[in-house]
């Protein structure tokens, strides 16, 4: 199934278990590599959904999601998760384009995110979507590379 043109919609309470399952499936492979549980796996998914921070894609099953938070000068992209079974189907691209559109709709000039320095796959992906490295910083047990993508706000 091609999921590239699937709509992205706000998650509802009925999606919380799917959000947890997709997040866990997407981030679990990194546990051994980075030596700690990735922060998105420990998030309060129900609270994030209730706060309107989670957007999902995939029908009938959720296959991808983003967790975002509007801040005064940017949209913070807290997590992007695509179920491994849906890799290569354009789900991540759809979600990243949604994030850009969402930030623009909120009148925010940029999107910011970070990724673990040992998640090198992401370091190849984000620059292809216009993200630039801002800094590398250690936050507790996490060695993170911070990115931003400046947007043309209409």
């Amino acid at each position: 199934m091609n999921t590239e043109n699937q709509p992205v919609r706000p998650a509802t309470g009925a999606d919380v278990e799917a959000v947890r399952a997709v997040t866990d499936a997407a981030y679990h492979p990194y546990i051994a590599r980075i030596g700690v549980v990735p922060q998105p796996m420990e998030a309060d998914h129900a609270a994030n959904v209730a706060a309107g921070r989670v957007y999902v894609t995939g029908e009938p099953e959720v296959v991808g999601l983003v967790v975002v938070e509007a801040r005064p000068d940017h949209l913070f992209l807290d997590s992007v998760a695509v179920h491994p079974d849906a890799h290569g189907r354009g789900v991540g691209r759809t979600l990243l384009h949604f994030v850009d559109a969402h930030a623009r709709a909120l009148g925010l000039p940029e999107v910011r995110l970070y990724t673990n320095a040992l998640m090198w796959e992401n370091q190849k992906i984000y620059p292809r979507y216009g993200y630039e490295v801002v800094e590398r910083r250690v936050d507790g047990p996490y060695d993170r590379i911070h990115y931003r993508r400046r947007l043309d706000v209409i």
Side-chain angles (χ1 to χ4, degrees), residues 3 10 13 47-50 55 66 79 86 93-94 97-99 115 124 126-127 143:
T3 56
N48 282 338
V49 168
Y55 294 84
V66 291
S79 177
R93 176 175 37 252
T94 295
H97 289 312
F98 167 80
V99 168
T115 190
K124 295 177 183 173
Y126 293 129
D143 182 3

Side-chain angles (χ1 to χ4, degrees), residues 110-113 126-135 145-150:
E110 65 184 43
V111 177
R112 297 183 192 168
L113 63 86
Y126 293 129
R128 285 190 292 207
Y129 288 93
Y131 286 86
E132 60 183 349
V133 174
V134 175
E135 69 177 327
I145 299 175
H146 293 250
Y147 291 86
R148 76 174 169 203
R149 174 170 158 67
R150 293 185 176 160

Side-chain angles (χ1 to χ4, degrees), residues 21-154:
V22 170
T23 300
D24 287 352
Y27 285 95
H28 189 269
Y30 294 115
I31 295 172
R33 187 187 307 169
I34 67 175
V36 294
V37 174
Q39 197 170 6
M41 292 178 72
E42 297 181 327
D44 184 337
H45 302 295
N48 282 338
V49 168
R53 296 181 63 216
V54 182
Y55 294 84
V56 299
T57 190
E59 292 294 335
E61 299 292 323
V62 171
V63 296
L65 63 104
V66 291
V67 181
V68 296
E69 180 181 338
R71 298 196 177 160
D73 61 348
H74 68 278
L75 184 66
F76 177 62
L77 176 51
D78 191 31
S79 177
V80 178
V82 175
H83 195 283
D85 292 346
H87 284 179
R89 297 183 185 171
V91 176
R93 176 175 37 252
T94 295
L95 291 167
L96 289 174
H97 289 312
F98 167 80
V99 168
D100 286 355
H102 188 59
R104 284 186 181 102
L106 295 172
L108 297 171
E110 65 184 43
V111 177
R112 297 183 192 168
L113 63 86
Y114 53 73
T115 190
N116 192 286
L118 294 176
M119 294 180 181
W120 53 78
E121 301 89 342
N122 296 341
Q123 295 171 50
K124 295 177 183 173
I125 293 170
Y126 293 129
R128 285 190 292 207
Y129 288 93
Y131 286 86
E132 60 183 349
V133 174
V134 175
E135 69 177 327
R136 183 170 177 171
R137 186 172 68 225
V138 175
D139 298 312
Y142 304 102
D143 182 3
R144 295 176 169 153
I145 299 175
H146 293 250
Y147 291 86
R148 76 174 169 203
R149 174 170 158 67
R150 293 185 176 160
L151 304 171
D152 296 324
V153 180
I154 298 171

